[in-house]
Amino acid sequence: RVLVSDRNAFIWAWRGHRMIGCVHVGDALFSPSSDSIRVEFMRILKSRFKPTGGDQLVTEYFGLGVDQDLAAQTIRTHQSEFRRRMLRKYDPDGNLKLQKIPMRIKATAIVQWGCSVTERDTFDYMAFMGDLVSLTKWRTGGD
């Protein structure tokens, strides 16, 4: 049984077939149990709206990698490429190393940083925090 608590998510049953989907702003992502329900869904959608995309298999959605196994009717999401892009963005020299969560922390005292901060430093720091929020909010655990 699938439990849904988000108003943007839906489950649609039609002629013995089922589709699970979600809508975010103008994007729809759905997983049909058969090709016939996908065709019917797209027919209804096109009768009311003008879709700008297609209905082909998705490999990436909002930074999440999507691997679908149609035979097993499973979907696996991962953040491998998002993490790689994030590391290249904030660590172009490759000096940072990925750590398992939670990271081991030594019991050392916090030392005040004695440097000045520019507006660009502040902006970069806030962008990094936003990317970290995305990374942890969408944490899939599979990669």
Side-chain angles (χ1 to χ4, degrees), residues 9-108:
F10 66 90
I11 299 172
W12 178 48
W14 177 79
R15 295 187 181 172
H17 305 280
R18 187 171 87 157
M19 176 183 290
I20 300 172
C22 64
V23 178
H24 178 74
V25 187
D27 295 316
L29 184 64
F30 54 90
S31 177
S33 63
S34 69
D35 198 46
S36 59
I37 195 170
R38 180 192 60 78
V39 169
E40 179 63 10
F41 178 75
M42 290 305 294
R43 184 191 68 75
I44 293 169
L45 190 69
K46 288 176 181 177
S47 74
R48 293 178 173 92
F49 304 101
K50 293 181 182 177
T52 56
D55 61 342
Q56 53 277 66
L57 291 178
V58 171
T59 57
E60 186 175 350
Y61 189 71
F62 286 106
L64 288 174
V66 180
D67 297 327
Q68 300 182 57
D69 184 339
L70 298 178
Q73 293 188 349
T74 60
I75 298 173
R76 177 184 171 268
T77 59
H78 57 88
Q79 296 173 296
S80 304
E81 185 57 30
F82 179 80
R83 280 200 324 258
R84 279 191 284 277
R85 285 193 306 248
M86 190 174 144
L87 284 174
R88 280 194 304 270
K89 179 179 176 182
Y90 297 107
D91 184 34
D93 301 325
N95 295 325
L96 294 177
K97 293 183 175 117
L98 292 177
Q99 299 290 327
K100 293 221 179 249
I101 298 174
M103 242 171 52
R104 293 185 182 130
I105 300 174
K106 295 180 181 176
T108 57

